[in-house]
Amino acid sequence: MLSVEALAVPVITLFSAMATVGLVRKALGLHPGPDYVFFSLDSQVWRLIGAYLLLVLIAWGGLLVVALVIAGATAALGQVSQGGASFVAVVLGVAAVLFYIYGIVRTFFFIPAVVVAENHIGLRRSWHLGYGNFWRIVGIFFAVTLPCGIAYNVLSQTIMQIVAGGSVNAVLPPNAPPAQVPDHCQDL
């Protein structure tokens, strides 16, 4: 049976694509005027979802091919030297993971801009736009996500303090005896 999270993924993907297309249109100056909600189900939204799905399929396919190549190289070297095969498997695995991250970051970042500006799914174009920009993209990612993550944690902890009546600050060891647990935390 499917879980709620698995059923929510398509809905979240759709709303994320709608918001992304709307924001990119606004950033490119294609949609003048104030907007408070980006709700559109036009072709660019579906192209963006298709581009993301295509990238995921290519990434999984590439991961499968790389895993088979590493397994084959390890098996072939295992006939000669067991230690050498393990070393080669680890080195190839680390190199594959680093290239995988590099490729996904470089391609993923420009997909919305290519889909909106050029009106087609252009993974190759997105790859070319990312050339020489890997560290900038990583920097932008951290510059955006770290402040948002900090704000989220501050707000969620504040709300939990209000909802739980201040009992969230009770820092106890995992196996604390009942005598150490404050009375107002017993009911939680």
Side-chain angles (χ1 to χ4, degrees):
M1 182 165 213
L2 290 175
S3 65
V4 174
E5 292 86 9
L7 294 175
V9 168
V11 174
I12 292 170
T13 303
L14 177 67
F15 285 127
S16 174
M18 284 192 299
T20 302
V21 167
L23 289 172
V24 171
R25 281 182 188 159
K26 193 73 168 165
L28 293 174
L30 301 174
H31 194 72
D35 279 327
Y36 301 106
V37 176
F38 295 111
F39 186 82
S40 171
L41 291 174
D42 64 351
S43 62
Q44 289 179 336
V45 172
W46 299 109
R47 274 192 208 107
L48 183 61
I49 292 171
Y52 285 152
L53 289 175
L54 184 61
L55 182 63
V56 167
L57 289 174
I58 290 171
W60 276 103
L63 194 63
L64 181 64
V65 168
V66 168
L68 291 174
V69 167
I70 291 173
T74 305
L77 286 173
Q79 301 295 327
V80 178
S81 168
Q82 202 65 300
S86 298
F87 177 74
V88 168
V90 168
V91 169
L92 287 176
V94 168
V97 166
L98 291 177
F99 182 74
Y100 185 79
I101 291 170
Y102 172 78
I104 294 296
V105 167
R106 185 174 156 181
T107 307
F108 186 81
F109 189 77
F110 287 107
I111 287 176
V114 170
V115 166
V116 172
E118 299 178 6
N119 259 343
H120 65 87
I121 296 175
L123 295 182
R124 183 178 296 146
R125 176 77 172 132
S126 180
W127 172 262
H128 288 298
L129 287 173
Y131 178 74
N133 293 317
F134 175 78
W135 291 111
R136 286 185 197 109
I137 294 169
V138 170
I140 289 169
F141 173 77
F142 284 119
V144 170
T145 57
L146 285 179
C148 291
I150 291 169
Y152 171 76
N153 283 330
V154 167
L155 288 173
S156 66
Q157 288 300 316
T158 304
I159 291 170
M160 283 304 296
Q161 289 289 336
I162 293 169
V163 170
S167 64
V168 178
N169 63 0
V171 178
L172 300 172
N175 297 327
Q180 284 185 334
V181 178
D183 291 335
H184 66 277
C185 292
Q186 297 281 343
D187 300 330
L188 296 177

